[in-house]
Amino acid sequence: MGKSSKDKRDAYYRLAKEQGWRARSAYKLLQLDEEFNLFEGVTRVVDLCAAPGSWSQVLSRVLIKGEKFGRAGLEHKQSRENAIIYNPEQANNESDPLSKPAPRTDVKIVSIDLQPMSPLEGITTLRADITHPSTIPLLLRALDPETYDPASSSGSHPVDLVISDGAPDVTGLHDLDIYVQSQLLWAALNLALCVLKPGGKFVAKIFRGKDVDVLFAQLKTVFRSVKVGKPRSSRASSVEAFVVCEGFCPPEGFKASLENPLGTEKTLSSKAAEEIEKEPRGQARTLRPDGITELDLGSDAQEDNRWVAPFLACGDLSAYDADATYHLPEGWQSLDPVQPPTAPPYKKALEMRRAAGGAYGKTTKG
Ligand code: SAM
């Protein structure tokens, strides 16, 4: 698909280029914030699977520069095609005391990805695998370079918010993609459990597969509130959604680690069992010995009793529809992406092709 055609079919792709975001995902985080007020009182954040960095850009602009994008102080402007878009210039009007940018103090943001990420002002970036146990000391050191103690593997100041937009390279094999994505999500959750402060929040991309309720049940054991948000910028046709967990309340004595991840800790298992016992009779959930919660969905009656996380559509209804195609005016000039991929998986293939002298190599050129 050419750039212009993609501009038509994906309003958020086009908007991201116009408004300086590295990826269209920025709008997903902004729309989740609109609904859940994610950044209220937040100064310490970990952004997992962060490349190319549009979520980190949002964090930088909201927390470090103090810009406002959410409902409070959000101004809209009519775009060329009559849809409503965010207008940060208006929302951060210096002369209006109510909408003036309000930078926060002592902000710490650490972003991690397997891929290299171009630097962003005020953000510590780490190139690491979130599924690998060696990432946790790296993260703790980056959060508190002065106070990090490698002996106890702890830092002194935990974080307010962990966000994860992790996604594997999609294969198109639905079940496999959902499985690999769920592994990333568990890794993100376990990292979050290692660094979150009580009361902290965790937001992560999920693919809504058939066993997603098992995940919600586990999350409910360590967070007061678990909801699912579907931003307007996320295509309705996609199984993608975001789990928004608030009020981190670890069981007493619970200590998370990547070597001993969620689901294998005794304390967490017993906490899960307590939570499930509290639920109404007839609940179809049971607890396996390894601490994983299972849903028995054998009958309709049981299905009626399932605990389902509240599902919320996020983002102004007048905002662009991610599934719609929009008309572009005559003479439309398509912009280049703000941040071309730094190390795309196809880079090596391109290099090999170039080395071979073109698409089919020298021998096929006649
Ligand atoms: N939130 C990002 C943004 O706004 O620019 C977009 C994230 S992109 C959808 C998914 C990212 O997950 C990719 O950059 C990929 O490298 C990263 N990722 C996948 N598996 C990972 C892993 N095991 N550890 C760290 N990052 C991973």
Side-chain angles (χ1 to χ4, degrees), residues 122-165:
I123 295 195
T124 308
T125 52
L126 299 175
R127 190 174 178 185
D129 181 348
I130 66 160
T131 64
H132 201 278
S134 62
T135 301
I136 185 73
L138 282 180
L139 172 59
L140 292 172
R141 186 188 297 276
L143 281 167
D144 294 293
E146 278 98 47
T147 55
Y148 173 67
D149 171 13
S152 67
S153 194
S154 70
S156 52
H157 301 103
V159 309
D160 305 301
L161 170 66
V162 175
I163 55 180
S164 173
D165 193 19

Side-chain angles (χ1 to χ4, degrees), residues 23 25-26 47 49-55 112-115 128-131 165-168 184 205:
S25 327
D47 181 8
C49 302
S54 76
W55 281 23
I112 304 182
D113 201 284
L114 276 178
Q115 305 287 334
D129 181 348
I130 66 160
T131 64
D165 193 19
L184 269 187
K205 187 193 322 256

